[in-house]
């Protein structure tokens, strides 16, 4: 059965490619859109950075991660071993470091060489890898969400492994709290800086991430430590609730009253439910009634305040996981490429709208604007 499905895919794909190649209809304007590798890495990140969409194509993801690794290595040396960087600079005064985008100029040339990287051919190859549940010739929202999630988890784990290689000083495959060093922006910050007072890099956070309680973090636990929004560890979820309460508790009484809930937390929950994840909504009297209803639902003991435990039912909305963003990305792609509006994608629809899938990494030379689909659902 599997061989038959593959044969059908190949036959349909060849037929579609043939029809596209010889169709007298509208000419292709794809090649004026140059693919460019993104460069978003920085050590000066916030605890909850802006969430960029992941590359749809694993080849593009690999190229971007290779570039990011180079940037990370360069900046890590500047932060962790500035004396070595200075010595290297002093020993070669005439030498200047090349701009990082030149490091992978060849990679961008590769992406824009239709003989070596043909977007249509890539979609033909990727389609059966996405259309798996079931393999019926259509890509559904669920299948595309799962694909996006797989790519996101792969990127996240790559970065986690990179960090673990640095912090695992004795190379035993685990990170102890003594081995862990907070990011430089924490070390250089005062006690009022965002993230410092919250305890994101303190021992309580480390211990909550230690699911088996052995005093060490394995790769899974360390990944949860760096990305608590994606954890299933009850201890870490409870810690996340405590930190959320600490941040929102403006009068410092150890709990959240309705005013503190309404001006912040409720807006985040509402935006999550509306799938806009946009904190620009204005508060007005019309929102107070639904806010009071939700507050009452969460306030299990009816004391008029929310404890950290009472925040548990909505912590996933306050800190959206990769699954949330993967679904957002899938919804946007389908809304743009679904020609017959049946809520799913055929191979022909994907081929007819290739840059919906690659829009995070190309710009249009005609109007010099970047086409980044995450702007649509930021």
């Amino acid at each position: 059965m599997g061989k038959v499905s593959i044969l059908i895919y190949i036959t349909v794909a060849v037929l579609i490619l043939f029809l596209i190649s010889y169709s007298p209809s509208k000419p292709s304007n794809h090649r004026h859109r140059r693919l460019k590798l993104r460069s978003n890495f920085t050590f000066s990140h916030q605890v909850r950075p802006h969430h960029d969409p992941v590359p749809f194509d694993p080849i593009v993801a690999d190229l971007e991660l290779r570039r990011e690794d180079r940037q990370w290595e360069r900046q890590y040396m500047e932060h962790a071993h500035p004396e070595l960087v200075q010595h290297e600079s002093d020993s070669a005064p005439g030498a200047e470091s090349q701009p990082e985008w030149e490091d992978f100029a060849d990679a961008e040339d590769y992406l824009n060489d239709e003989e070596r990287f043909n977007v249509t051919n890539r979609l033909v190859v990727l389609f059966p890898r996405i259309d798996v549940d079931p393999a019926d010739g259509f890509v559904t929202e669920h299948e595309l969400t799962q694909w996006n999630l797989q790519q996101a988890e792969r990127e996240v784990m790559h970065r986690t492994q990179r960090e673990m290689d640095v912090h695992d000083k004795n190379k035993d495959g685990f990170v102890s709290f003594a081995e862990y060093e907070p990011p430089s922006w924490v070390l250089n910050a005062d006690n009022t800086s965002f993230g410092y007072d919250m305890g994101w890099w303190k021992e309580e956070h480390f211990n909550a991430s230690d699911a088996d309680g052995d005093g060490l973090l394995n790769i899974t636990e360390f990944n949860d430590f760096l990305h608590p929004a994606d954890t299933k560890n009850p201890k870490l979820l409870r810690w996340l609730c405590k930190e959320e309460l600490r941040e929102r508790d403006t009068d410092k009484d150890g709990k959240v009253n309705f005013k503190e809930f309404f001006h912040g937390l409720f807006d985040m929950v509402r935006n999550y439910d509306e799938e806009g994840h946009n904190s620009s909504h204005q508060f007005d009297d019309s929102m107070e009634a639904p806010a009071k209803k939700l507050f009452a639902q969460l306030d299990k003991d009816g004391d008029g305040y929310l404890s950290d435990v009472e925040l548990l039912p909505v912590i996933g909305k306050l800190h959206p996981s990769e699954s949330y963003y993967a679904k957002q990305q899938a919804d946007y792609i389908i809304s743009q490429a679904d020609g017959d509006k049946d809520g799913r994608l055929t191979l022909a629809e994907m081929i007819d709208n290739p840059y919906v899938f690659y829009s995070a990494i190309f710009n249009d030379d005609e109007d010099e604007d970047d086409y980044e689909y995450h702007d649509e659902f930021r």
Side-chain angles (χ1 to χ4, degrees):
M1 184 65 182
K3 292 182 178 178
V4 174
S5 298
I6 294 174
L7 182 60
I8 292 173
Y9 272 125
I10 293 174
T11 303
V12 171
V14 169
L15 178 60
I16 290 174
L17 288 173
F18 177 82
L19 292 174
I20 290 174
S21 299
Y22 292 95
S23 174
S25 59
K26 59 184 179 181
S28 172
N29 63 347
H30 291 162
R31 294 322 301 171
H32 74 277
R33 297 176 171 183
R34 180 172 174 79
L35 294 169
K36 293 176 67 65
L37 292 176
R38 294 175 299 176
S39 177
N40 297 323
F41 176 76
T42 175
F43 268 111
S44 303
H45 62 276
Q46 296 293 317
V47 172
R48 279 177 278 182
H50 168 72
H51 196 285
D52 290 313
V54 295
F56 170 80
D57 193 323
I59 288 181
V60 175
D62 286 341
L63 292 173
E64 289 193 345
L65 283 174
R66 285 172 55 200
R67 161 179 277 192
E68 183 181 295
D69 286 344
R70 291 283 294 274
Q71 291 176 280
W72 182 91
E73 182 180 356
R74 183 183 299 115
Q75 293 190 37
Y76 172 76
M77 291 299 295
E78 291 174 355
H79 283 76
H81 302 287
E83 72 285 354
L84 296 180
V85 175
Q86 183 62 42
H87 174 73
E88 188 176 298
S89 176
D90 293 342
S91 63
E96 296 182 4
S97 60
Q98 296 300 310
E100 62 85 18
W101 57 83
E102 290 186 8
D103 292 344
F104 285 93
D106 289 344
E108 288 190 355
D109 288 342
Y110 165 78
L111 289 178
N112 289 279
D113 184 340
E114 283 192 279
E115 295 296 323
R116 294 190 290 170
F117 186 85
N118 184 284
V119 171
T120 299
N121 291 343
R122 286 299 299 160
L123 290 173
V124 170
V125 170
L126 294 175
F127 188 89
R129 294 174 58 182
I130 304 171
D131 176 28
V132 295
D133 188 22
D136 58 358
F138 298 95
V139 167
T140 63
E141 178 203 62
H142 171 72
E143 288 172 326
L144 191 53
T145 297
Q146 290 303 116
W147 173 260
N148 292 337
L149 183 59
Q150 290 171 19
Q151 309 316 305
E153 290 175 340
R154 180 169 166 266
E155 280 200 358
V156 167
M157 188 55 71
H158 176 91
R159 295 182 180 116
T160 295
Q161 186 63 62
R162 186 176 63 199
E163 291 289 334
M164 190 159 189
D165 291 342
V166 169
H167 295 294
D168 180 16
K169 302 293 194 301
N170 62 4
K171 305 304 177 187
D172 64 350
F174 300 92
V175 173
S176 67
F177 185 71
E179 287 178 311
Y180 184 73
E181 296 174 359
S184 59
W185 65 267
V186 174
L187 295 175
N188 298 330
D190 56 39
N191 290 357
T192 62
S193 297
F194 179 66
Y196 184 95
D197 184 58
M198 286 180 65
W200 281 75
W201 315 107
K202 296 181 180 178
E203 193 163 9
E204 184 182 0
H205 178 194
F206 186 94
N207 292 338
S209 305
D210 182 15
D212 58 14
D214 65 353
L216 302 169
L217 300 186
N218 58 35
I219 186 65
T220 300
E221 293 168 332
F222 191 59
N223 188 59
D224 282 353
F225 175 78
L226 296 177
H227 310 282
D230 293 295
T231 188
K232 292 180 174 59
N233 173 1
K235 288 196 304 180
L236 192 52
L237 289 173
R238 177 75 181 275
W239 171 85
L240 202 55
C241 290
K242 289 180 179 178
E243 297 309 311
E244 193 62 50
L245 186 149
R246 188 182 305 180
E247 181 184 1
R248 303 296 173 177
D249 180 21
T250 56
D251 60 11
K252 305 304 177 186
D253 64 352
K255 45 200 172 183
V256 172
N257 58 38
F258 176 74
K259 181 180 178 181
E260 292 165 336
F261 173 77
F262 185 48
H263 294 287
L265 295 178
F266 175 68
D267 192 43
M268 295 171 69
V269 171
R270 184 162 60 101
N271 284 321
Y272 181 96
D273 289 338
E274 293 175 359
E275 294 192 357
H277 207 57
N278 176 342
S279 60
S280 64
H281 288 154
Q282 298 297 315
F283 292 101
D284 53 49
D285 293 340
S286 66
M287 285 294 102
E288 190 164 331
K292 285 183 176 179
K293 181 179 179 181
L294 178 58
F295 187 90
Q297 291 173 347
L298 296 173
D299 182 19
K300 296 299 184 183
D301 59 11
D303 66 350
Y305 298 92
L306 298 183
S307 66
D308 57 283
V309 174
E310 289 172 328
L311 287 178
L312 270 172
V314 293
I315 195 63
K317 297 181 179 181
L318 303 177
H319 295 265
S321 67
E322 291 293 345
S323 297
Y324 171 80
Y325 295 109
K327 183 178 182 299
Q328 268 196 331
Q329 194 168 334
D331 287 343
Y332 174 75
I333 288 174
I334 290 177
S335 73
Q336 297 299 302
D338 181 18
D340 58 11
K341 303 304 177 185
D342 65 348
R344 54 188 184 174
L345 300 178
T346 62
L347 177 58
E349 287 173 324
M350 290 175 66
I351 290 175
D352 199 40
N353 299 275
Y355 285 94
V356 172
F357 301 89
Y358 291 86
S359 59
I361 61 164
F362 82 84
N363 67 359
D364 193 327
D365 293 338
E366 287 188 349
D367 56 19
E368 298 181 350
D369 287 333
D370 288 337
Y371 284 68
E372 298 188 354
Y373 53 71
H374 59 274
D375 287 339
E376 298 291 332
F377 53 75
R378 182 171 291 174

